[in-house]
Amino acid sequence: MVLAAGLGKRMRPITDTIPKPLVSISGKTLLDWGLDSLAEVGVKRAVVNVHYLPDQIIAHVADRIKPQAVISDERDGLLDSAGGIVKARGELGAEPFYIVNADTFWIDQGAPNLARLAAAWDDARMDILLMLADLGQATGHSGSTDFLVAPDATLSRAKGAPEGLIYAGAAIVHPRIFVDAPEGPLSLNRYFDQAISFGRLFGMKMQGSWITVGTPDAIPQAEVAVKRALADAS
């Protein structure tokens, strides 16, 4: 599931005319950075939700083969991160699946991080497994940390603690957590907290560089980070 339905208000005036997932960094759209990461680990089909300027995204992915893009149309109303997943449940199936944010991306160092995430998945112990980054791996991140990681890799809220890690915009989730979910806007944070309460939210620290682009003036910084990360990875 690729979450691509946001409004991208902080990216104005660029997003006055294009949706944020189609903003280009180093010659590739944010959306394609995510889809290419999924393709690299063999994902054949990805659900992409759309809301703001949806026809542009629909046209952009129309000819995509790896992975094939299936559109979940939310133009009638924003559903937030979890609400979009609930709407698309019929397309996502009964097995654990990746979630990827379309407005952040990363450069792998070594094995693909999504492959490492899949290898770390333990269906018996986990409902959600998050990819995490430390502040030193991040470019463009203006917030604080999100999660503390226990020795057994379970997570709790960091509340900005300096030793915490950032949620890096990719995860594996089991669809069972959405079985009784209501329709309408819902945040994934609700399900993160629910999984924490059951001891079933886990994390894996990524290898490489994580990049987020919040405002237009962050684009050159992101492009420098990509060039540096690709050089380091080669």
Side-chain angles (χ1 to χ4, degrees):
M1 178 88 198
V2 181
L3 300 175
L7 297 173
K9 291 181 178 180
R10 292 176 61 227
M11 284 296 292
R12 290 175 176 166
I14 294 174
T15 50
D16 287 341
T17 54
I18 62 170
K20 185 177 179 181
L22 296 188
V23 170
S24 181
I25 303 296
S26 296
K28 185 190 294 191
T29 68
L30 292 169
L31 179 57
D32 284 320
W33 279 105
L35 289 170
D36 286 351
S37 294
L38 292 168
E40 187 176 11
V41 295
V43 172
K44 296 180 174 63
R45 202 166 161 275
V47 180
V48 180
N49 67 344
V50 297
H51 171 75
Y52 177 64
L53 300 176
D55 293 336
Q56 292 187 39
I57 295 177
I58 292 168
H60 184 79
V61 301
D63 297 327
R64 183 137 193 155
I65 298 172
K66 293 181 179 180
Q68 174 194 9
V70 177
I71 298 296
S72 180
D73 198 324
E74 297 177 19
R75 71 182 77 203
D76 290 339
L78 271 174
L79 295 174
D80 208 339
S81 49
I85 294 167
V86 171
K87 184 180 191 303
R89 273 185 302 182
E91 297 286 356
L92 292 167
E95 299 300 319
F97 57 89
Y98 289 112
I99 298 172
V100 174
N101 290 349
D103 59 356
T104 65
F105 66 101
W106 61 94
I107 307 296
D108 294 315
Q109 189 171 48
N113 282 292
L114 293 184
R116 294 180 60 240
L117 205 65
W121 176 260
D122 184 341
D123 202 77
R125 300 171 63 215
M126 302 174 180
D127 285 334
I128 306 173
L129 174 62
L130 303 182
M131 188 174 84
L132 304 171
D134 65 35
L135 291 170
Q137 294 174 287
T139 295
H141 180 69
S142 58
S144 56
T145 59
D146 299 311
F147 295 101
L148 296 172
V149 186
D152 64 354
T154 55
L155 301 182
S156 59
R157 292 287 184 178
K159 300 177 181 178
E163 68 272 26
L165 299 178
I166 306 161
Y167 172 45
I172 295 175
V173 302
H174 199 293
R176 62 184 164 228
I177 67 174
F178 301 114
V179 166
D180 297 319
E183 295 182 359
L186 283 170
S187 172
L188 270 173
N189 279 306
R190 166 177 173 172
Y191 293 93
F192 293 168
D193 288 335
Q194 178 179 287
I196 287 172
S197 70
F198 293 125
R200 297 182 64 83
L201 182 69
F202 285 73
M204 183 208 76
K205 187 172 178 289
M206 65 167 294
Q207 295 176 345
S209 302
W210 181 70
I211 300 165
T212 181
V213 186
T215 57
D217 59 6
I219 292 175
Q221 181 185 9
E223 293 184 335
V224 169
V226 169
K227 185 176 181 180
R228 181 175 61 244
L230 289 174
D232 292 344
S234 63

